[in-house]
Amino acid sequence: MAARGKHRRPRTNPLTRGIIAAGTGGAALTLPLLGATHASAAEPQSAPAAAQSVPRAAQPAKSLTYTVVKGDSLARIADKYDVSGGWKQLYKDNRAAVGDNPKLIHPGLKLTVKTTKTDAAKKTATKSSAPAKPAAKPAGGVAQATQASAKTYANNLDGWIRESLDIMAQKGIPGSYDGIYRNIMRESSGNPLAINNWDSNAVKGTPSKGLLQVIDPTFAAYHVSGTPYDPYDPVANITAACNYAADRYGSIDNVNGPY
């Protein structure tokens, strides 16, 4: 029994049998193991290179509303916002608003712009939300004229005199409230429709009329622009009479009797 056991073939491991079947000698066992070791070391090194070769995904287009200004064109707007497809795509997206002629866009027209710029939408929103600048203040003369035109006067002797004085101040005609009032009370007692049909002027066919009893030729010669051309109009009568008195006497204040 012992002799038979001496020549008995030793049992081999299944893995060892597979390696031996693949080749002969120690080389057959060593080379496959070294190859496997190098292959497992190479795989992690090749991964970053593959990742670098993958292109970055294109930025998605963002839509914003653009208001056309003077001097704009579709090509200029498309270039400004990097519109994919250029002005043709911009026109296609906005044909309903632009119309049949892409060259005709007018200031104020609203366009939908698809841009790839990340900060374009923010800038546009900021610009559109900015408060409008206050209107420039009018020059002093314009402001004064507006205030004067908005001023109202009472429809009585006091109001007529005050309105006449404001007009006289603008025209450079001298005179005071007291000087005008004093002469009106002497000439017409404050009746704007007063007429003198018995003095020498009336005999000549030119009766004196109105608050300061002005004859038609004098009224025509000294009528002040901006007042009605009517000698019975209280303001027109006062300003024309004061204009005449300034030319002849220096001021209505210097008139203390018939003139």
Side-chain angles (χ1 to χ4, degrees):
M1 294 296 291
R4 286 197 301 271
K6 184 178 180 179
H7 297 283
R8 189 176 179 181
R9 297 180 62 186
R11 299 181 64 181
T12 59
N13 187 280
L15 177 60
T16 305
R17 289 198 302 271
I19 295 173
I20 295 173
T24 59
L29 175 62
T30 303
L31 290 177
L33 291 176
L34 291 175
T37 302
H38 285 290
S40 62
E43 286 178 1
Q45 295 176 358
S46 60
Q52 293 175 3
S53 63
V54 177
R56 295 180 64 183
Q59 292 291 336
K62 296 182 180 180
S63 293
L64 59 87
T65 300
Y66 177 81
T67 303
V68 175
V69 298
K70 186 177 181 181
D72 268 342
S73 66
L74 292 181
R76 178 179 176 276
I77 298 170
D79 181 66
K80 179 179 180 180
Y81 291 100
D82 290 341
V83 176
S84 178
W87 72 266
K88 292 183 179 180
Q89 183 61 45
L90 181 61
Y91 174 54
K92 181 179 179 181
D93 294 339
N94 294 275
R95 181 158 188 167
V98 175
D100 295 333
N101 191 343
K103 294 182 180 180
L104 297 179
I105 56 174
H106 57 82
L109 182 67
K110 304 289 186 181
L111 300 178
T112 298
V113 180
K114 296 178 180 178
T115 177
T116 57
K117 288 188 175 182
T118 57
D119 60 342
K122 182 185 292 186
K123 287 182 178 179
T124 302
T126 302
K127 184 177 181 181
S128 61
S129 62
K133 292 183 178 179
K137 293 183 179 180
V142 177
Q144 292 175 3
T146 302
Q147 292 174 0
S149 63
K151 188 175 181 179
T152 58
Y153 304 90
N155 188 25
N156 55 30
L157 182 58
D158 178 73
W160 301 331
I161 294 175
R162 293 185 185 282
E163 184 174 356
S164 296
L165 285 170
D166 284 344
I167 296 173
M168 290 163 57
Q170 294 175 13
K171 302 293 183 178
I173 302 171
S176 68
Y177 186 100
D178 290 339
I180 295 172
Y181 181 82
R182 182 183 70 248
N183 281 283
I184 286 177
M185 297 311 292
R186 185 189 66 251
E187 295 292 337
S188 67
S189 299
N191 179 8
L193 300 179
I195 182 171
N196 186 327
N197 289 315
W198 57 85
D199 65 2
S200 60
N201 288 321
V203 172
K204 295 176 182 177
T206 56
S208 301
K209 303 175 181 178
L211 289 174
L212 284 170
Q213 292 292 284
V214 182
I215 62 175
D216 287 343
T218 301
F219 181 82
Y222 292 94
H223 171 257
V224 176
S225 61
T227 64
Y229 193 85
D230 178 3
Y232 289 110
D233 180 86
V235 175
N237 187 282
I238 293 172
T239 51
C242 289
N243 195 23
Y244 164 74
D247 183 49
R248 186 164 182 180
Y249 303 103
S251 172
I252 190 70
D253 294 343
N254 298 331
V255 177
N256 296 290
Y259 62 112

